[in-house]
Amino acid sequence: MDVEFGLLGPVAAWGADGPDLPLGAPRHREVLGRLLVAHGRVVAVDRLVADLWEDGAPAGAVGAVRTFVAALRRALEPGRAPRRPSRLLVTDGPGYALRTERGAVDAWRFEDIAARAADAPPRAAVALWDEALACWRGPVLADFPGAAWAGAERARLEALRLDAVERHADALLATGAARAAVAALRAHVAAHPGREDGWVLLATALDRAGRHGEALTTLNRARAALAEAEPGTNAGTGTAAAGRGALARAEARLTGGAGDRAIEPAGIADGVWDRATAAWGRSVPARSQARLHATAGLLRDLAVTGADGLREAHRHRRDLVAAAESTGDTELAARIIGSYDVPAVWTRADDPDDAGELVRAAARAAARLGPDGPPALRTRLLSVVAVESRGDAAADTAPAGAAGPPVVEPWRQRAERAAEESVRLARRLGDPGLLAFALNGAYMQSFGRCGSAGRRDGIGGELTRLAVDHQLPGHEVLGRIVRLQALAGLGELTAADAEAEEIDRLAHRNERPLAGVFTTWYRALRTCETDGWRAARPLYANALAETADCGMPGLAQGAAVLVALVPVMRGDANTPVDPDEFGHLDAGPYRPWLDPLLLAASGAVGQAREALATVPRPPHDLLQEALWCVLARTAASVGHLPVLRRARGELAAARGEFVAGSGLVSFGPVARHLSEAEAALGA
């Protein structure tokens, strides 16, 4: 599909490389919209004239239509040879037809995805409904709101969209994600108060989210809204009556008249929690070791409850470690430090200073215990060192520059040795939970060089099998996310799809909401690989919105810049970079590698070369291949040979992979970037 078309919003067309095609004046776009609405059928010239000039056609209208069509053909197929027939906007008998694949038109693509979603199980349906609704950029044919020829198609597609919103919410409820459904349904019923199904779904979502009183209030609001929407309807017939019947059934269900309410078991558990925590406060003395141990366990469990819990766990963990160290009890401190075995998947630390301090605390405790200390405790401490030394978090000197040869960095050697020893000790002890924690550390230290997707796939596979065999659901989710990322880097997208489905199922079943952030990003990457940047762009917008408040700043900061780089880096070496596209974005931790690219693109070649001379080498993490590719492109554009040679050498180990191992963004095959670097060096 060289050209894609848009009806779900203003009429638009996009080339294969992403930018909008210049369709010309409103009449040109109206002709295109009219042909798209015809679904590939021929529209006679006389019909086009009548539709475009509803109040009466002027003299020369037929010639004007032919001029509009000729201009559209030039815009849609700029490379078409003179006198060669158009293959998109064709002449057929008495008129014209637009001949394109279903996947090339956003409205048709929306319908096809919606049809798949309707037949899918709930978890898969949620993702498909998300994808379908992301096709919408605004109202149907938004630039021709009063056109009579668009009325029927506008009404049909809008009805399908409203149904999709409600079925998406229904799928969310089926997966247990009631809270996620509430916000969308509130906006839905506010915009369309006559949709009784929307009101019933909102009340159900509120009830299942534990807001029973608000759910009943919503039903009362719904009655008033439906009556106002259909003021002339008799009590026994029509939409309002049907709505009142549906609302009555919902009220009977929510008040216990039909079936059990989903919130009741959780309500019982909340009562037990309140009584147990009160008893704990009365029974356990202040400043006791028991409180330190219990707090450590609480923080570990809190970290997997969602964004708020993760933020709170991070905020209090360092204080807890300091409190344990202040007791002077080496084993107690070691147990508290090593107890935080929360699965960690992202390789950039949320707080590098905090991570560095935890590494030092774990190293101090390990040194005090000595090599003959309890092996399980030593394993845990070494695993903490390996996990928290992700990327450059444990660096005690500035990273080496990208323009020089590779440098042996002592802090990385210490972290890698800690990972190796912790796995060896855990295997010897035969403790599956301990081995899972150690393998997490081994994963974090598997980025010593580019091209390690195969190794990470092996670690993820072992973690997954271990977790399945020993009922460790948190580490099973981790293992599958590790595999998801690795498989994306290896280009094995069908296998990655299966992992994404299983991650979503496990995350719902075991209440691990943050896992969905990673599958959301992967599905945007997947769409980019199969359907192109244009189709993936709205999915990336959703991923950025979901990530913004996920409690993982190491993932969120600068993510928008990574997305903005996708169409640039997926193009060839001549793909232009528009610095204005990046001017409003916070580059976060990626600023050192972005700035030289933008300087080169703005024509400041000398400044770009100076920036490359001092730019640090990319961190050893999930994005190292991507950042080396950015450096290679910049160095090639300004002729900075030291960085270009270093980038080529680093990327050579990943020649058979894709620049997609992060599971977030893909810059295409590594081999293509290597070829461009080698061509630049040869030149």
Side-chain angles (χ1 to χ4, degrees), residues 1-269:
M1 296 180 291
D2 295 333
V3 182
E4 297 182 18
F5 300 92
L7 285 175
L8 305 182
V11 174
W14 307 282
D17 56 352
D20 292 1
L21 296 178
L23 298 179
R27 286 297 191 193
H28 298 76
R29 296 197 304 276
E30 190 170 7
V31 169
L32 180 59
R34 180 62 183 87
L35 294 174
L36 285 167
V37 164
H39 289 261
R41 295 185 296 274
V42 175
V43 181
V45 173
D46 291 347
R47 180 73 266 164
L48 280 171
V49 168
D51 286 342
L52 265 62
W53 289 278
E54 295 174 9
D55 297 330
V62 170
V65 166
R66 290 174 176 152
T67 299
F68 301 155
V69 168
L72 283 171
R73 284 171 170 165
R74 288 193 297 272
L76 297 177
E77 298 176 90
R80 182 170 57 90
R83 298 186 182 84
R84 184 172 181 176
S86 172
R87 61 184 181 83
L88 279 174
L89 207 171
V90 302
T91 301
D92 192 341
Y96 304 105
L98 194 71
R99 299 283 163 77
T100 188
E101 302 172 20
R102 285 190 61 81
V105 181
D106 58 2
W108 306 348
R109 189 164 62 247
F110 161 73
E111 292 184 70
D112 291 346
I113 299 169
R116 287 162 50 206
D119 295 330
R123 178 62 58 181
V126 168
L128 287 169
W129 287 121
D130 279 334
E131 185 180 350
L133 291 167
C135 294
W136 288 73
R137 297 169 290 115
V140 179
L141 295 157
D143 34 2
F144 305 105
W149 56 265
E153 184 70 353
R154 180 182 293 110
R156 185 183 73 85
L157 288 169
E158 178 62 15
L160 290 175
R161 186 188 70 82
L162 296 178
D163 183 63
V165 171
E166 291 168 0
R167 298 187 74 166
H168 174 250
D170 196 31
L172 283 171
L173 290 175
T175 65
R179 293 180 187 276
V182 168
L185 286 168
R186 282 193 191 284
H188 178 62
V189 299
H192 306 281
R195 301 282 296 190
E196 65 267 24
D197 285 350
W199 286 107
V200 169
L201 284 165
L202 176 58
T204 303
L206 287 165
D207 186 63
R208 293 188 186 176
R211 295 146 71 175
H212 183 56
E214 196 175 347
L216 295 177
T217 300
T218 295
L219 293 177
N220 290 331
R221 288 175 48 223
R223 290 190 186 88
L226 288 169
E228 186 176 349
E230 295 283 348
T233 305
N234 294 327
T237 62
T239 302
R244 285 193 289 274
L247 294 174
R249 290 192 295 273
E251 185 171 20
R253 184 174 70 253
L254 298 186
T255 56
D260 296 326
R261 291 177 52 238
I263 197 61
E264 287 179 358
I268 295 170

Side-chain angles (χ1 to χ4, degrees), residues 342-345 347 379-391 412 414-427 433-449 452-463 466 475 478 482 485 620-622 624:
V342 177
V345 66
T347 50
T379 303
R380 286 192 170 277
L381 292 170
L382 291 170
S383 297
V384 169
V385 170
V387 169
E388 298 298 339
S389 296
R390 64 187 81 181
R412 283 206 48 77
R414 290 194 295 269
E416 290 172 354
R417 284 198 298 266
E420 293 168 2
E421 186 177 352
S422 65
V423 171
R424 184 169 60 251
L425 286 171
R427 292 195 196 283
L434 203 56
L435 179 55
F437 190 17
L439 287 171
N440 198 168
Y443 160 71
M444 286 295 180
Q445 297 307 317
S446 64
F447 296 87
R449 64 182 183 88
S452 61
R455 180 186 174 193
R456 299 200 306 275
D457 186 33
I459 293 172
E462 182 177 1
L463 252 175
L466 180 74
H475 280 95
L478 168 64
V482 169
Q485 296 166 336
H620 295 283
D621 63 17
L622 281 159
Q624 62 178 333

Side-chain angles (χ1 to χ4, degrees), residues 489-508:
L490 294 170
E492 298 178 14
L493 297 183
T494 301
D497 292 343
E499 292 293 349
E501 289 294 323
E502 191 62 16
I503 290 164
D504 286 339
R505 186 188 70 80
L506 288 166
H508 166 61

